[in-house]
Amino acid sequence: LATQYVLSLPYFSDLEIKERGRAYLEKNFYTNFCGITKTNEYLDWRYFRNPKNRYKYFELLKDDNHLGWIVCKDGRFTTEVVDILLAKKSSHLYKDVISAISRHSLFRGKLFVAYSHLQNKFWRKVWPKLSKRREITIYFTVKTPVKRLLNHEDWILLGGDIQ
């Protein structure tokens, strides 16, 4: 795993981010990648009822149309993104989502946005040039005869999935 630190800059993005009290999925979340099944029950258990951390929920919109959710945890100078929940039809927007989060964090007074993620070619295409990666030694083990599940390039995981 790695943590990617993205400098908060006023990147252009036509995506809008609005803070909400809680995230509710219209239906179960899924992508083109392997990952954790995300349901409203999962979000409640993992984030909303978590006694250790307080998370903020941001709705992601484009032209007033709902695209997904971003779950964050605030630090003194950083926003830590622990989950990005985009519907399959919006999964091509990750690069724009990263820019929108960076811009939104700047306006909230945060210098950096941190993302913990499983490194693979998907994420390498997403990060802006003004970012820095720090390696983390955490091992994720999958034991299965299904070859697709053994290839880390087929997985999309963020910090909220494993921490």
Side-chain angles (χ1 to χ4, degrees), residues 72-85:
C72 300
K73 186 169 65 170
D74 276 341
R76 187 170 181 188
F77 301 109
T78 62
T79 297
E80 181 184 343
V81 175
V82 294
D83 223 330
I84 300 173
L85 304 161

Side-chain angles (χ1 to χ4, degrees), residues 82-129:
V82 294
D83 223 330
I84 300 173
L85 304 161
L86 293 179
K88 191 174 190 176
K89 66 181 180 185
S90 304
S91 62
H92 66 284
L93 295 174
Y94 269 91
K95 192 171 183 105
D96 292 336
V97 170
I98 301 299
S99 295
I101 293 169
S102 181
R103 186 186 70 222
H104 186 76
S105 292
L106 176 68
F107 296 135
R108 293 179 61 235
K110 305 299 181 182
L111 299 176
F112 294 95
V113 183
Y115 304 82
S116 292
H117 61 95
L118 178 66
Q119 296 181 80
N120 59 23
K121 63 185 172 190
F122 171 81
W123 288 110
R124 284 190 288 279
K125 290 188 240 175
V126 169
W127 304 124
K129 295 206 185 315

Side-chain angles (χ1 to χ4, degrees), residues 14-138:
D14 57 353
L15 303 179
E16 184 181 359
I17 296 176
K18 290 187 177 179
E19 187 169 351
R20 302 291 188 211
R22 201 167 181 174
Y24 284 104
L25 302 176
E26 293 175 20
K27 54 187 172 188
N28 291 356
F29 167 76
Y30 65 99
T31 68
N32 297 321
F33 295 88
C34 300
I36 309 273
T37 299
K38 312 270 172 88
T39 63
N40 285 314
E41 293 79 18
Y42 171 84
L43 292 178
D44 256 12
W45 168 79
R46 180 67 185 95
Y47 302 117
F48 193 74
R49 291 185 289 147
N50 186 324
K52 186 177 174 187
N53 295 308
R54 293 282 173 228
Y55 296 98
K56 294 187 181 227
Y57 306 91
F58 296 93
E59 184 177 14
L60 187 63
L61 304 153
K62 183 173 183 175
D63 301 324
D64 289 328
N65 294 314
H66 173 81
L67 297 178
W69 295 95
I70 302 159
V71 182
C72 300
K73 186 169 65 170
D74 276 341
R76 187 170 181 188
F77 301 109
T78 62
T79 297
E80 181 184 343
V81 175
V82 294
D83 223 330
I84 300 173
L85 304 161
L86 293 179
K88 191 174 190 176
K89 66 181 180 185
S90 304
S91 62
H92 66 284
L93 295 174
Y94 269 91
K95 192 171 183 105
D96 292 336
V97 170
I98 301 299
S99 295
I101 293 169
S102 181
R103 186 186 70 222
H104 186 76
S105 292
L106 176 68
F107 296 135
R108 293 179 61 235
K110 305 299 181 182
L111 299 176
F112 294 95
V113 183
Y115 304 82
S116 292
H117 61 95
L118 178 66
Q119 296 181 80
N120 59 23
K121 63 185 172 190
F122 171 81
W123 288 110
R124 284 190 288 279
K125 290 188 240 175
V126 169
W127 304 124
K129 295 206 185 315
L130 290 173
S131 66
K132 176 80 173 138
R133 184 176 67 235
R134 190 188 82 188
E135 305 292 327
I136 304 171
T137 306
I138 295 177

